[in-house]
């Protein structure tokens, strides 16, 4: 589960910001673990490419096998000094207390939210055979999709998250219902037959991918009439106007202070990843261009735009952030204010816990807080008092149909 969630959240996939080339190390470790051979002995396409890929065409009718057994989480030490180390974002899969706290602090995607996606799909297709959850995190979206589709593929770039997803999902969903794949979204079409998917969902992950390479893969996988749905949620936002006026600046200050610790001091490649994600969040996903020759019936819905979608930006990152708008002239746009949307009722301890487990590895990156963070928390506790407060979320959902 910025990045997700694991369920999905700011964090389920934020680990990819540290440099997507680091997947090479994990593919190599996994391949050695499973087959006893190194990546020197497996095809070049699996391990030594950048995100922008020259995709190899599949012969007609050819099916690449998917893995029904997720990899074991690699318990490797943090590689200090390696700016691309994906381990920076990792928490071992055998820490159930962390993962329970992590999932509990994510928003719960509501039935009305999923209904929007299902209704969009039903308006173009009668096939409910195969769905993909790209960047599945701890499997929150996978579990929902498995109630509607015959089979769901949960894919992840992070091997630990894939193990956590399997641990959470396997008691309820056997291999025939859910399978798992260690891969980047930009490489997904290398592993499954083209035109084999009815729906592709990706939560909190689009800003972490090369969006055009990912869209190329998604378009190849989807059948005509298939649905693409991707979304992103941002900072927890006080629903009450009075509390929002006096308390939200403190939530924002905690975000800036904590993310500054994570981002500043990064190497150039990791910093570029943070900047790309910041611009995608700042754009409310409007930067994603959906080619009208490939996609139709594009519908973009934004909830609670009075809130802040980016988890970090120029103030935390120290780099300029440019918003982009590549929305097509025929796309349907909708803005909704609903202060009950995905509501969480938290007291001050739950707010603190949210920041403590904001994403895997966050606590290791920022520590237990400092004098400034503690002072902000004290002031926030004074504003909130001892009772719970309602929080909502700024959210953007984009749906499109494959021509």
């Amino acid at each position: 589960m910025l990045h997700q969630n694991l369920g999905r959240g700011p964090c389920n996939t934020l680990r990819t910001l540290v440099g997507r080339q680091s997947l090479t190390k994990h593919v190599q470790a996994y391949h050695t673990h499973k087959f006893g051979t190194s990546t020197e002995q497996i095809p070049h396409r699996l391990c030594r490419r950048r995100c922008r890929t020259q995709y190899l065409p599949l012969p007609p009718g050819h099916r690449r096998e998917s893995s029904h057994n997720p990899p074991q989480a690699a318990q490797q030490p943090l590689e200090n000094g390696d700016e691309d180390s994906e381990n920076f974002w990792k928490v071992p899969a055998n820490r159930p207390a962390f993962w329970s706290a992590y999932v509990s602090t994510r928003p719960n995607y509501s039935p009305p939210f999923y209904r929007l996606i299902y209704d969009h799909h039903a308006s173009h297709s009668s096939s409910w055979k195969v769905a993909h959850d790209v960047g599945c995190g701890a499997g929150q979206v996978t579990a929902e999709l498995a109630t509607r589709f015959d089979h769901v593929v949960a894919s992840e770039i992070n091997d630990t998250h894939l193990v956590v997803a399997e641990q959470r999902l396997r008691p309820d969903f056997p291999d025939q219902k859910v399978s798992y794949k260690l891969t980047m979204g930009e490489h997904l079409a290398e592993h499954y037959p083209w035109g084999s998917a009815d729906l592709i969902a990706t939560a909190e992950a689009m800003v972490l991918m090369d969006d055009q390479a990912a869209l190329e893969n998604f378009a190849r996988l989807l059948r005509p009439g298939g649905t693409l749905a991707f979304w992103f949620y941002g900072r927890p936002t006080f629903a009450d106007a009075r509390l929002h006026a006096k308390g939200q600046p403190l939530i924002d200050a905690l975000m800036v202070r904590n993310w500054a610790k994570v981002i500043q001091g990064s190497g150039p490649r990791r910093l570029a990843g943070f900047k790309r994600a910041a611009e995608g969040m700042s754009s409310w996903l409007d930067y994603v261009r959906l080619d009208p020759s490939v996609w139709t019936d594009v519908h973009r819905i934004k909830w609670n735009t009075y809130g802040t979608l980016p988890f970090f930006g120029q103030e935390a990152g120290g780099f300029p952030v440019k918003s982009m708008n590549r929305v097509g002239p025929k796309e349907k746009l909708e803005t909704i204010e609903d202060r009950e949307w995905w509501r969480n009722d938290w007291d001050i301890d739950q707010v603190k816990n949210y920041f403590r487990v904001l994403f895997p590895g966050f606590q290791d990156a920022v520590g237990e807080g400092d004098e400034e963070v503690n002072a902000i928390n004290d002031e926030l506790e004074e504003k909130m008092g001892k009772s719970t407060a309602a929080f909502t979320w700024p959210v953007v959902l984009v749906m499109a149909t494959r021509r």
Side-chain angles (χ1 to χ4, degrees), residues 37-285:
T37 59
S38 73
T39 50
E40 299 296 336
Q41 299 165 271
I42 62 176
H44 175 79
R45 66 177 178 271
L46 287 179
C47 62
R48 302 197 186 282
R49 294 195 298 182
R50 296 178 182 267
C51 294
R52 289 199 177 275
T53 307
Q54 297 300 314
Y55 294 101
L56 302 178
L58 285 170
H62 180 73
R63 179 183 183 88
R64 288 192 175 101
E65 293 300 322
S66 63
S67 171
H68 286 266
N69 296 310
Q72 297 299 309
Q75 302 301 319
Q76 300 173 345
L78 179 65
E79 299 177 34
N80 295 318
D82 181 358
E83 71 172 15
D84 289 331
S85 174
E86 190 177 316
N87 289 326
F88 180 80
W89 307 104
K90 284 193 173 184
V91 168
N94 61 355
R95 283 179 55 183
F98 169 84
W99 293 111
S100 294
Y102 181 85
V103 172
S104 71
T105 58
R106 304 308 100 184
N108 292 315
Y109 304 147
S110 61
F113 175 77
Y114 283 116
R115 195 176 306 123
L116 288 167
I117 297 171
Y118 296 150
D119 287 351
H120 183 103
H121 182 66
S123 68
H124 295 277
S125 175
S126 60
S127 181
W128 299 78
K129 294 178 181 178
V130 178
H132 285 256
D133 178 12
V134 180
C136 66
Q140 177 182 344
V141 176
T142 302
E144 166 60 32
L145 295 178
T147 68
R148 299 296 298 266
F149 290 84
D150 295 342
H151 186 80
V152 181
V153 178
S155 61
E156 256 291 346
I157 187 178
N158 188 307
D159 53 353
T160 295
H161 289 179
L162 211 54
V163 171
V164 171
E166 188 224 4
Q167 290 174 345
R168 296 184 66 238
L169 295 172
R170 190 169 293 281
D172 297 317
F173 302 106
D175 286 350
Q176 295 86 344
K177 193 68 174 178
V178 176
S179 59
Y180 306 87
K181 190 66 179 177
L182 180 68
T183 185
M184 297 161 64
E186 297 94 323
H187 294 177
L188 199 60
E190 298 175 11
H191 306 290
Y192 299 95
W194 295 4
S196 63
D198 298 298
L199 180 141
I200 294 175
T202 181
E204 297 295 282
M206 186 60 85
V207 300
L208 309 175
M209 291 189 272
D210 177 330
D211 58 290
Q212 292 307 307
L215 289 173
E216 180 183 351
N217 270 250
F218 300 161
R220 288 176 174 179
L221 280 178
L222 284 169
R223 313 178 201 273
T227 299
L228 171 63
F230 55 95
W231 63 92
F232 199 91
Y233 66 83
R235 303 180 187 184
T237 304
F238 282 106
D240 178 78
R242 180 183 58 85
L243 269 176
H244 185 272
K246 66 180 184 178
Q248 195 63 38
L250 299 173
I251 295 289
D252 295 341
L254 287 170
M255 280 288 183
V256 170
R257 177 67 178 173
N258 283 314
W259 277 108
K261 290 183 179 182
V262 173
I263 298 172
Q264 294 178 14
S266 296
R269 188 178 293 115
R270 184 186 294 171
L271 200 61
F274 279 119
K275 176 177 168 61
R276 182 180 64 250
E279 292 183 335
M281 292 183 287
S282 175
S283 303
W284 284 72
L285 302 187

Side-chain angles (χ1 to χ4, degrees), residues 326-351:
R326 299 188 177 115
V327 175
K330 295 184 178 181
E331 297 180 9
K332 181 180 178 181
L333 310 180
E334 190 173 356
T335 301
I336 301 170
E337 182 172 322
D338 182 355
R339 292 179 183 248
E340 295 292 311
W341 191 247
W342 296 356
R343 174 173 168 169
N344 289 78
D345 293 314
W346 287 343
D347 60 21
I348 185 62
D349 290 333
Q350 289 167 304
V351 173

